[in-house]
């Protein structure tokens, strides 16, 4: 059994920092965006920051100079950049002191640290070298695939971190796909997920990449078996089509069963793994190896920005502190991520995992229950579609939902038409800006049903065009923002104990199904048995 060490120095709760007390006072009277003139052009200019390919516009948040200054102070008092440096150089941050825990480094940034000023931390250098070796292997493999020209499709089998990020990036980069290449995804253990994909492919022309860091995930192994059986039935040898991405020494680390195997390591959290081989194999196949490299370059650029000691240029840190302001001082429980880019259709789903699995925690890094709110509930959909759906609640509902808009000056395909005096891209961006201003300023009216209360905080992350490089940067912006918030709360953003209990109980219920089929008795589980009786009575 462990014990709960007391917190000291860098580990003390953010609530006890001097800046937190000041922020608490400031939160009693946050900037009122609804007063005429309070959302001025000067303000929009002043509360903006630029780094790499992005601008962050946050004049529509409920902040003023004092708040921003004190959030910066809080980031210093909580040593957030020091912690980011520790993470990127390979210190063991994934742990709970005094208790059994994963006890690992957190080195997803090393997966893309090949380009400029590689990190000199011992752990980081080792991880980068290993990642580089896998990249070289992937490059050689893909050039062989290109030469042979046998394959047109790839199926990625994986779930959670081995699915959401890769899928979100693939969907976002359709405009950059290699001619004649398509990716499909199977994640759910629902047999319909597999059946639907298998109906749409020709196995002779299809690669299958099975992605599981642990090599032991129920859904993934089950789906691999289903797809293998389908390939065998179709007269295709699985070892000529199946690829593996897994941890060294995992049950899936069996190169003879696969055409090629690639590694990932335990210091890469699943939800942070998209830039490793977890996303790399499918992305290099469908976009080309060079575009995969461009994603890594963009991510690396933002990783470097996250280390910038100049608060005003450190976009992920500013984003993180604005989030802390909304969560811990204005006490808003959710955040909507609203990309004005159809290509980012699956991006909020990826962020949901990345953010909520990382920061949905109730104890600190010393094992003590926290006495403040941690990760917000993340959700979202692309605009303008969302406007015709849930924006009603965002504008006039009883809960205030801070919104993070994402937009791009140019469209991806650059295929647009002037309809009634404007391009579609202009209409899209006009809607984004209109929503941001409407949420902030609100509207007065004699008709209560037409009153918009305003003061609904939001920010806009603006880029030039969504391409592989900027998408890599966007991904890293959020990964680092999430990590900064976890550092500030002194929680472990890199484990996920909360998903274990359900898995354990599901396995016990699976045993009930198997036992029944074999006419045997399974271990007693009265609550589940009661539920199963309902199922059987249908
Ligand atoms: C992410 C989680 C989790 C994980 C999946 C798949 O951080 O760890 O979502 O990615 O459970 O795990 P495997 O890759 O081991 O199959």
């Amino acid at each position: 059994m462990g014990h709960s060490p007391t917190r000291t120095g860098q580990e003390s709760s953010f609530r006890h920092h001097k800046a937190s007390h000041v922020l608490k006072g400031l939160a009693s009277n946050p900037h009122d965006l609804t007063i005429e003139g309070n959302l001025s052009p000067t303000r929009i200019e002043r509360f903006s920051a630029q780094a790499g390919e992005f601008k962050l516009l946050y004049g529509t948040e409920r902040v003023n100079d004092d708040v921003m200054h004190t959030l910066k102070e809080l980031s210093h008092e909580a040593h957030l950049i020091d912690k980011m440096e520790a993470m990127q150089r390979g210190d063991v941050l994934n742990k709970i002191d005094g208790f059994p825990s994963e006890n690992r480094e957190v080195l997803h940034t090393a997966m893309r640290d090949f380009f400029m000023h590689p990190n000199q931390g011992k752990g980081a250098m080792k991880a980068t070298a290993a990642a580089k070796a896998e990249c070289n292997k992937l490059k050689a493999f893909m050039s062989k695939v290109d030469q042979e020209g046998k394959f047109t499709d790839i199926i990625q089998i994986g779930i959670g971190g081995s699915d959401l990020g890769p899928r979100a990036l693939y969907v976002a980069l359709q405009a950059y796909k290699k001619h004649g290449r398509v990716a499909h995804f199977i994640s759910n253990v629902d047999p319909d997920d597999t059946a639907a994909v298998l109906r749409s492919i020709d196995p002779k022309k299809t690669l299958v990449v099975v992605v599981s860091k642990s090599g032991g995930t129920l859904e993934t192994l089950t789906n691999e078996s289903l797809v293998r059986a389908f390939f065998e039935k179709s007269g295709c040898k699985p070892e000529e089509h199946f690829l593996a991405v897994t941890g060294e020494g995992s049950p899936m680390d069996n190169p003879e069963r696969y055409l090629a195997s690639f590694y990932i390591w335990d210091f890469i959290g699943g939800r942070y793994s998209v830039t490793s081989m977890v996303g790399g194999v499918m992305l290099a196949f469908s976009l080309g190896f060079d575009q995969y490299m461009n994603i890594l370059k963009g991510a690396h650029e933002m990783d470097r920005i996250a280390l910038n000691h100049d608060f005003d240029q450190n976009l992920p840190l500013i984003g993180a502190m604005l989030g802390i302001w909304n969560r811990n001082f204005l006490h808003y429980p959710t955040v909507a991520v609203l990309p004005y880019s159809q290509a980012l259709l699956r991006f909020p789903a990826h962020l949901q995992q990345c953010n909520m699995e990382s920061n949905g925690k109730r104890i600190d890094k010393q094992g003590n229950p926290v006495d403040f709110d941690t990760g917000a509930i993340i959700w979202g959909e692309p605009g303008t579609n969302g406007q015709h759906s849930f924006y009603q609640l965002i504008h006039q509902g009883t809960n205030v939902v801070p919104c993070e808009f994402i937009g791009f000056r140019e469209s991806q395909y650059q295929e647009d038409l002037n309809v009634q005096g404007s391009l579609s891209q202009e209409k899209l961006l006009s809607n984004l800006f209109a929503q941001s201003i409407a949420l902030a300023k609100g509207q007065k009216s004699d008709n209560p049903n037409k009153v918009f209360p305003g003061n609904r905080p939001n920010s806009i992350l603006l880029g030039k065009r969504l391409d592989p490089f900027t998408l890599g940067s966007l991904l890293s912006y959020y990964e680092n923002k999430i990590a900064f918030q976890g550092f500030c709360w002194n929680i472990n953003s890199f484990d996920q104990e909360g998903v274990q209990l359900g898995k354990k109980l599901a396995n016990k219920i699976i045993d009930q199904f198997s036992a029944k089929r074999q006419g045997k008795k399974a271990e007693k589980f009265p609550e589940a048995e009661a539920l199963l009786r309902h199922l059987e009575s249908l």
Side-chain angles (χ1 to χ4, degrees):
M1 273 303 281
H3 62 285
S4 279
T6 44
R7 313 174 193 98
T8 49
Q10 289 205 10
E11 284 151 355
S12 70
S13 159
F14 90 101
R15 281 209 327 150
H16 299 122
H17 292 301
K18 215 174 106 208
S20 286
H21 296 293
V22 179
L23 286 165
K24 207 172 157 195
L26 292 169
S28 63
N29 186 22
H31 185 76
D32 189 343
L33 294 156
T34 65
I35 293 174
E36 201 47 49
N38 265 10
L39 181 61
S40 64
T42 327
R43 177 181 167 83
I44 290 170
E45 196 50 47
R46 179 169 188 75
F47 294 105
S48 67
Q50 180 165 14
E53 299 292 308
F54 283 94
K55 281 187 172 193
L56 180 63
L57 310 180
Y58 56 96
T60 40
E61 295 282 354
R62 299 199 67 189
V63 295
N64 58 17
D65 284 336
D66 284 345
V67 171
M68 290 316 295
H69 172 78
T70 321
L71 286 172
K72 183 170 151 179
E73 282 302 305
L74 178 59
S75 80
H76 288 153
E77 288 171 23
H79 302 278
L80 299 191
I81 303 270
D82 295 345
K83 289 181 180 173
M84 179 56 72
E85 281 169 353
M87 186 190 92
Q88 292 200 18
R89 76 171 166 256
D91 287 9
V92 176
L93 298 189
N94 177 359
K95 60 172 180 175
I96 303 292
D97 297 335
F99 292 88
S101 54
E102 291 188 338
N103 219 21
R104 295 169 187 161
E105 305 100 320
V106 179
L107 277 169
H108 48 278
T109 49
M111 300 296 99
R112 57 244 187 172
D113 192 9
F114 318 145
F115 307 107
M116 44 175 173
H117 322 297
N119 197 300
Q120 296 302 302
K122 219 163 126 199
M125 285 204 295
K126 213 169 132 199
T128 298
K132 231 178 185 171
E134 292 308 294
C135 272
N136 289 339
K137 203 157 95 186
L138 178 64
K139 189 176 182 183
F141 177 78
M142 283 305 162
S143 79
K144 208 164 136 227
V145 166
D146 289 348
Q147 269 163 25
E148 291 175 356
K150 265 181 14 197
F151 298 110
T152 54
D153 292 48
I154 190 165
I155 302 173
Q156 171 137 349
I157 304 177
I159 195 164
S162 297
D163 168 63
L164 287 159
R167 197 194 290 243
L169 264 58
Y170 174 75
V171 171
L173 295 175
Q174 293 296 290
Y176 299 85
K177 245 175 27 179
K178 264 184 105 145
H179 182 68
R181 294 270 168 99
V182 184
H184 313 260
F185 299 86
I186 300 175
S187 54
N188 200 327
V189 75
D190 179 346
D192 288 343
D193 198 14
T194 309
V197 169
L198 294 182
R199 277 179 188 214
S200 68
I201 54 116
D202 174 356
K204 285 185 222 54
K205 296 182 183 167
T206 303
L207 282 170
V208 180
V209 58
V210 187
V211 184
S212 176
K213 183 170 89 172
S214 61
T217 301
L218 170 85
E219 292 90 336
T220 302
L221 297 186
T222 304
N223 285 329
E224 177 179 4
S225 297
L226 296 187
V227 180
R228 274 184 185 265
F230 172 83
F231 270 65
E232 278 161 1
K233 218 170 121 200
S234 318
C236 295
K237 290 186 184 150
E239 62 277 15
E240 292 175 6
H241 294 258
F242 278 56
L243 313 171
V245 177
T246 193
E248 225 166 334
S250 90
M252 263 176 62
D253 186 8
N254 186 353
E256 284 174 11
R257 295 188 82 212
Y258 299 97
L259 177 61
S261 291
F262 300 90
Y263 285 130
I264 142 157
W265 306 272
D266 63 5
F267 49 76
I268 311 296
R271 55 193 173 275
Y272 295 95
S273 67
V274 54
T275 51
S276 74
M277 288 300 118
V278 165
V281 175
M282 176 276 300
L283 291 168
F285 175 82
S286 47
L287 309 175
F289 185 80
D290 291 345
Q291 292 291 37
Y292 167 52
M293 282 297 113
N294 286 334
I295 297 172
L296 300 197
K297 279 182 194 159
H300 177 60
E301 184 177 82
M302 193 58 84
D303 292 341
R304 301 279 311 167
I305 292 168
L307 293 170
N308 195 336
H309 283 260
D310 182 351
F311 181 85
D312 299 325
Q313 288 183 27
N314 189 327
L315 292 197
L317 183 56
I318 300 172
M321 298 318 287
L322 289 169
I324 298 268
W325 172 247
N326 284 332
R327 183 77 177 118
N328 297 106
F329 298 97
L330 303 184
H331 302 294
Y332 299 132
T334 87
V335 171
V337 179
L338 306 168
Y340 276 63
S341 160
Q342 191 57 23
L344 291 176
L345 180 65
R346 292 295 297 173
F347 198 65
H350 171 55
L351 292 185
Q352 232 164 24
Q353 182 195 22
C354 207
N355 202 320
M356 290 163 75
E357 207 166 56
S358 297
N359 288 342
K361 305 286 164 67
R362 51 171 290 286
I363 58 159
D364 68 14
K365 290 198 73 184
Q366 287 66 50
N368 305 298
V370 296
D371 54 359
F372 49 83
D373 287 323
T374 60
I377 298 159
I378 307 292
W379 57 289
E381 273 286 318
T384 60
N385 297 23
Q387 289 175 208
H388 299 262
S389 162
F390 51 81
Y391 277 41
Q392 165 64 39
L393 183 148
I394 294 185
H395 283 285
Q396 290 187 317
T398 50
N399 280 106
V400 172
V401 180
C403 296
E404 296 183 5
F405 294 103
I406 303 170
F408 299 92
R409 196 175 96 192
E410 296 171 4
S411 66
Q412 287 184 317
Y413 291 98
Q414 299 279 295
E415 287 166 19
D416 208 338
L417 192 65
N418 187 326
V419 177
Q420 293 176 353
S422 63
L423 299 171
S424 292
Q425 186 65 15
E426 290 165 351
K427 293 182 177 84
L428 179 70
L429 289 168
S430 303
N431 272 281
L432 187 170
F433 294 143
Q435 293 299 329
S436 169
I437 295 166
L439 286 165
K441 287 185 75 168
Q443 175 178 275
K444 295 184 179 54
S445 173
D446 294 336
N447 178 347
N449 204 22
K450 292 194 188 296
V451 170
F452 287 68
N455 274 330
R456 308 217 151 187
N458 67 84
S459 62
I460 307 173
L461 194 61
L462 212 51
K464 189 166 174 215
R465 192 200 289 198
L466 184 64
D467 61 18
F469 186 97
T470 45
L471 182 60
S473 284
L474 183 66
L475 175 81
S476 158
Y477 167 82
Y478 273 102
E479 287 179 353
N480 287 311
K481 172 175 181 267
I482 291 163
F484 275 133
Q485 292 189 335
F487 296 152
C488 191
W489 290 322
N490 184 35
I491 57 174
N492 182 3
S493 301
F494 307 108
D495 66 0
Q496 54 287 314
E497 279 306 316
V499 304
Q500 299 303 345
L501 178 60
K503 269 192 211 170
K504 201 168 86 187
L505 298 188
N507 280 328
K508 283 174 76 176
I509 302 175
I510 290 171
D511 290 345
Q512 299 264 344
F513 273 104
S514 305
K516 194 150 231 167
R517 182 170 300 108
Q518 296 165 34
K520 292 185 188 160
K521 270 209 169 328
E523 194 189 328
K524 278 232 143 304
F525 191 171
E527 301 90 336
E529 285 161 35
L531 294 170
L532 287 171
R533 276 196 294 278
H534 276 289
L535 185 74
E536 280 158 14
S537 72
L538 285 173

